[in-house]
Amino acid sequence: MVAQIPAGQLATYGQIAELIGAYGCARQVGWALRRLALPSEVPWHRVVNAQGRISMSLSREGSDWMQRELLLAEGIPVDEQGRLPLARYRWIPPGASCGATSDPLPC
């Protein structure tokens, strides 16, 4: 599902969990993405938390800063604290409707 997110768009961990039928498993999505070998063809950097932030953590071994740089390179503004305009760049998969997930989708 993450591989389908187009460049310049974002999804949340919870949104991905729901889209794959794993409602309530946002942390597991994050866990799986953190374990990808880098570099990866999977655009893991396009998945952020529901607050519209990069999940900053020492356990990410610098991938949070890598995520910020990759998003900036795609034209998505990210401030120094990892905040970004999620509503503006939210990916809505083809066939999905507003409110189809527990994360509020722009309509």
Side-chain angles (χ1 to χ4, degrees), residues 13-84:
Y13 298 106
Q15 179 183 358
I16 296 300
E18 288 191 35
L19 289 168
I20 64 171
Y23 178 81
C25 294
R27 288 182 187 209
Q28 287 80 357
V29 170
W31 181 87
L33 293 176
R34 257 192 320 276
R35 277 144 186 84
L36 289 171
L38 298 179
S40 173
E41 291 184 22
V42 176
W44 59 272
H45 61 282
R46 297 179 187 146
V47 184
V48 298
N49 69 31
Q51 289 76 43
R53 299 178 71 119
I54 293 172
S55 297
M56 305 293 222
S57 169
L58 293 175
S59 68
R60 292 189 65 190
E61 299 174 353
S63 66
D64 40 12
W65 294 106
M66 183 186 306
Q67 183 175 16
R68 181 179 184 277
E69 293 303 315
L70 290 167
L71 292 172
L72 288 169
E74 291 187 8
I76 299 174
V78 185
D79 70 15
E80 291 295 324
Q81 288 75 42
R83 294 181 299 237
L84 42 95

